[in-house]
Amino acid sequence: MFKKEVYTKRREELRKRVKSGLILMVGNVDAPFNYPANHYTFRQDSSFMYFFGIKKQKFTGILDIEAGEDYIFADDFDMDGIIWMGKMQSVKEQAERVGVSKSLPVYKLDQVIKTALEQGRKIHFLPPYRAETKITLSALLGIPTAGLSEAVSSELIKAVVSLREIKEEREIEQMEQATDIAYLMHTMAMKMAKPGIKEMEIAGMVEGISLASGGPVSFPVILSQNVHIIHNYDHSAFLEDGRLLVTDAGHENELHYTSDITRTIPAGGKFTTKQKEIYEIVLAANENVREGIKPGILYRDMHLLAAKTITQGLKDLGIMKGDVDQAVAAGAHALFYPHGLGHMIGLDVHDMEGFGEDFVGYDDKITRSDQFGTAFLRLAKELKPGFALTDEPGIYFIHDLIDLWKSENKNSDFINYDKVEQYRDFSGIRIEDDILVTETGSKVLGKPIPKTVKEIEDMMQS
Ligand code: GLY
Ligand code: MN
């Protein structure tokens, strides 16, 4: 937990940015796994964490804009709670630790909301993403759960995004720490990736490092020799000699700050010439973006820079052809690079994505492309100092997509389909780093994780 002044100041800023009414922030409760008492590891809501800092179940916060007051609603443990869970600091003490002097039992929340509604005051809330929160909001506000999405406050969303998207120094320290843990996770995968091992043996160790370091993985580990399945959570294959292995995994630390790193490595520790050639193209795309990141540029332009680097590289190998700019404008690169370059990262691994991607990655000046590939770009808007984001280009050979485009003769001015056939079983390569936008450029977060061909081969053989 940060000092109480941090949370007081954040709430004060939020109250300034939302004109009037009450801001209602419902914290998370335990979510059942297979029966009520057996639940998933508790995860606090990220915005509740940001403004109220309390990592406990069944807490709700209210910011009263006109009164300039904040409230916490929660109940102290009864004897049953103490017996099973141990003594908990009183709600009053917990609230005071984050600068909230007014704490009330949960049953009073209903009355506070009812009075505000009777007075015609606006109640702002963020888009709920959990069923339990939807039910709570529905009961408090008298809105059917199906109607909640229409009632969310875009004014509040914009205000929260404007605060959370600029990472404070103390948050950057947390993210550096989360990325340092990712170093341990990824170097473990590199050392274990020998032919014959089952993917889940590596995935389990990767996840174990995260847990042993203070928190869960920031999203389910993606670890597979079928790299062309971009979000492949299946870990049932035995690693085959000569195959590539992708590990896309990050840590979420005790304060919920996340990392999200991808490395693609050769099973057995040595890239083949063919693998090296494609690897160098993806690495160049990743590096060109890192060098290009600075305040004032559009991240969409970095996505297109990655697309151009990939197109040029594939053209040099004879897989693509024609004018690079025209090929990218036509979207031809998306046969091999069918996703966006990256996303914001912070308290959520896709930071604030639950508010709606367009609220976070786009603004009044830039709208989402409808072209296959670029349409999936999560972050496109102008970069500001303090943004933390991912840089994650990739090249994949996806059989079904190749077959579809080929059957339609799609972008045949830019794609050598005969040559593509020689790579049909290549699978793919993705490389991802977490990057902070600084006043003058960028900084890669965390301890450098082996990334060049030589660094990876050296680590794998160590
Ligand atoms: N690293 C997984 C993702 O960004 O979707
Ligand atoms: Mn990512």
Side-chain angles (χ1 to χ4, degrees), residues 272-438:
T272 64
T273 303
K274 203 172 178 182
Q275 288 169 345
K276 233 185 273 183
E277 284 169 354
I278 300 285
Y279 193 91
E280 294 295 354
I281 300 170
V282 181
L283 184 60
N286 166 281
E287 286 291 330
N288 287 349
V289 166
R290 183 189 56 77
E291 283 166 18
I293 290 175
K294 59 177 186 219
I297 57 142
L298 295 176
Y299 208 49
R300 188 191 52 198
D301 290 344
M302 291 297 101
H303 171 79
L304 295 174
L305 174 64
K308 284 177 192 170
T309 308
I310 285 169
T311 302
Q312 181 64 55
L314 293 177
K315 185 179 160 183
D316 294 344
L317 291 179
I319 298 169
M320 292 188 75
K321 59 185 175 180
D323 181 78
V324 168
D325 289 342
Q326 283 175 14
V328 170
H333 61 279
L335 176 60
F336 310 101
Y337 172 39
H339 60 74
L341 176 63
H343 49 85
M344 293 252 195
I345 179 164
L347 282 164
D348 304 302
V349 68
H350 288 187
D351 210 23
M352 301 174 277
E353 194 166 289
F355 300 169
E357 262 177 45
D358 287 359
F359 276 112
V360 183
Y362 293 78
D363 57 21
D364 302 343
K365 286 182 241 144
I366 180 158
T367 48
R368 191 179 281 272
S369 159
D370 56 11
Q371 187 184 66
F372 176 78
T374 305
F376 307 131
L377 180 59
R378 300 178 199 277
L379 172 63
K381 71 185 180 187
E382 189 179 310
L383 303 184
K384 292 185 192 155
F387 278 17
L389 47 85
T390 66
D391 166 14
E392 50 178 313
I395 293 178
Y396 315 85
F397 294 86
I398 304 167
H399 297 174
D400 294 85
L401 190 59
I402 293 167
D403 292 343
L404 177 70
W405 279 37
K406 196 173 169 182
S407 72
E408 294 171 347
N409 216 19
K410 194 164 170 173
N411 283 314
S412 55
D413 288 346
F414 304 113
I415 296 164
N416 266 325
Y417 282 105
D418 288 347
K419 185 79 180 175
V420 173
E421 287 305 321
Q422 294 172 18
Y423 287 80
R424 184 170 267 274
D425 293 324
F426 185 92
S427 87
I429 289 171
R430 177 167 67 256
I431 304 172
E432 174 177 26
D433 293 314
D434 301 340
I435 295 186
L436 173 73
V437 182
T438 63

Side-chain angles (χ1 to χ4, degrees), residues 25-29 45 125-140 145 148:
M25 285 197 182
V26 180
N28 282 342
V29 297
D45 172 72
F125 63 93
L126 294 168
Y129 52 90
R130 283 196 181 191
E132 292 84 353
T133 312
K134 289 183 189 178
I135 292 166
T136 302
L137 284 171
S138 170
L140 282 172
T145 51
L148 287 169

